[in-house]
Amino acid sequence: MVAAAATTPDRAGRRRFVTASALGAVPGIVVFTWLVATGRADLFQREIFGNFYDAQAKALLHGHWNVPAGQLYIEGFRIGSKTY
């Protein structure tokens, strides 16, 4: 009889655990979302400098290394008329 009583879950303890988990998770999710959104409320805002990898992938698929100069900003270097 003693072993059966020890294995039954404590409903009050389970409720406290779920409540504490929710109270800890909500601020964590809010802070994580704010960090992902870089401090803005718009989660779907496009980055200004985020097109470099897309441009590089397109260039490589077309068989060349050079990418449009506007995609590189200060990271690019010019050789002749091409930007790498």
Side-chain angles (χ1 to χ4, degrees), residues 2-26:
V2 176
T7 59
T8 58
D10 180 23
R11 288 184 183 242
R14 184 178 293 219
R15 185 175 294 135
R16 283 193 310 266
F17 174 76
V18 170
T19 303
S21 297
L23 288 174
V26 168

Side-chain angles (χ1 to χ4, degrees), residues 23-69:
L23 288 174
V26 168
I29 290 170
V30 169
V31 170
F32 178 75
T33 304
W34 182 75
L35 288 172
V36 167
T38 60
R40 290 184 229 105
D42 186 12
L43 292 175
F44 301 105
Q45 182 174 354
R46 189 178 180 113
E47 290 185 28
I48 300 169
F49 52 87
N51 296 332
F52 166 70
Y53 294 109
D54 293 332
Q56 185 181 37
K58 288 177 185 176
L60 292 175
L61 287 174
H62 287 110
H64 56 85
W65 289 90
N66 58 314
V67 295

